[in-house]
Amino acid sequence: MRDQDPASGRAERRLSTRETAELLGVKPETVYAYVSRGQLSSRRAPGGRGSTFDAQEVAALARRNRREGGVSTGAGGELSVRTRITLIDQDRYFFRGVDATELATRHSYEEVAEWLWTGRMRPGVTFAAPEQAVAAARRAVRSLPEHTSPVDRLRVAAIAAAAEDPMRFDLSEEAVLGTARVLIPTLVAALPQRPSAARPEDGPLARRLWSRLTGYAADEASLRVLDTALALLADHDLAASTLAVRVAASARAHPYAAVSTGLGVIEGPLHGAASGLAHRLLLDVLEQGTAVPVIADELRAGRRIPGLGHRLYPGEDPRARVLFALLEQVPRAESALLAARDIVATTARHTPLHANVDLALAVFTVATGMPATAGETIFAVARTAGWIAHALEEYGERPLRMRPSGHYVGPPPPQPVPE
């Protein structure tokens, strides 16, 4: 609609409340909150039905919101996103302001997940999967080829569980939390059991995951390593997979779809699959009896030594430090620990690098008879908690704020239509 501006005599374009809300990406009631705060001015619509808003004023507010919407580009050209979940600072990291390593050593994975999601601790909390969701996920996973990777199985399980949930598009906090508490155990339950493994279907998530990773009998020291690893890996700021999850959540994808997005990203060798490379390196060192020829071959081939160094930790990776200390209590981990120390010491002759969490996971998976893919599975299950925490946070932000503009460098238009 257009009204005549008495001061200038020009016609000014007015927007309805609904149009204003759509342009700002907010609910209609938020538009009136802007008015009450003096950020927008309103005028009664002709006939007294609702209010109208100046289009130029609304456009200016939308531009300001985009600048202040929590997404910006830092001095180094890196994307920066406002978050209250994880802080990494000076070789330490924090979950909602609390030292993450202390949380992980004192609380179960499920308790840490609840802390990430709500900022509240729920002592003794466990997650249970609904039978229908588990049955659907298992049917879908069983239909996959035998050589399918664990992360592919998890992604298919997430999609199957979504199809079983008609309320998946409810993005209210309560509904998303309900989804989170059933999705993670559903993913674990959908993974095939290892031969000769015990078959627990309840209790702590770490115990349920154990039987999907190895046929070895579970001992308390090893279970504690697994549970602590899950808690330590639950989140790690805006890793590539987490950023992808936030983009999906910004477009209002439901939690299952957001988690599936994260699972699609972690398969790269520089992200979730890095522990598998460290696992194979460790096996080579154990077979050779020394790290020297193995490291020499890696350097000769121009390959980066897996399991060493981390771009966010100039010093020691705090997650590795915690896991190595716990692995000292696992008797069958002794030879793998010695091999890991040999890798670090041998590489230090070339370049001094600390062991990272991938090498610690490799020691654990080798010592407990797990396959090379087990570290990636642990990583994926663990990080699902963080992905949901970030999705929850993103659902509270302006929709589609994670929409950068392309910097076009192609041929100048218009070009002739090709024959």
Side-chain angles (χ1 to χ4, degrees), residues 207-296:
R207 186 176 292 275
R208 282 177 270 171
L209 181 58
W210 175 275
S211 64
R212 270 81 184 175
L213 299 174
T214 180
Y216 282 26
D219 61 89
E220 289 306 314
S222 297
L223 280 174
R224 189 183 178 205
V225 174
L226 179 55
D227 187 50
T228 305
L230 289 168
L232 288 169
L233 292 167
D235 193 52
H236 205 234
D237 195 30
L238 282 183
S241 57
T242 305
L243 178 59
V245 166
R246 291 198 77 126
V247 171
S250 177
R252 297 304 182 254
H254 55 71
Y256 300 93
V259 167
S260 180
T261 301
L263 289 167
V265 174
I266 68 166
E267 285 199 280
L270 301 181
H271 199 3
S275 63
L277 300 177
H279 178 107
R280 295 180 183 93
L281 179 78
L282 200 58
L283 287 178
D284 288 344
V285 172
L286 287 168
E287 183 180 353
Q288 295 274 357
T290 173
V292 174
V294 178
I295 298 301

Side-chain angles (χ1 to χ4, degrees), residues 140-202:
V141 167
R142 279 197 297 266
S143 70
L144 297 171
E146 188 176 342
H147 63 267
T148 302
S149 74
V151 172
D152 279 338
R153 296 179 193 275
L154 291 171
R155 191 159 59 244
V156 168
I159 295 168
E164 191 65 33
D165 182 3
M167 305 305 292
R168 61 188 178 275
F169 295 102
D170 185 348
L171 301 185
S172 65
E173 182 177 353
E174 183 179 358
V176 174
L177 287 172
T179 297
R181 292 167 184 144
V182 300
L183 174 56
I184 296 176
T186 298
L187 295 179
V188 171
L191 292 171
Q193 296 271 359
R194 302 294 295 180
S196 75
R199 299 176 180 272
E201 295 297 340
D202 52 16

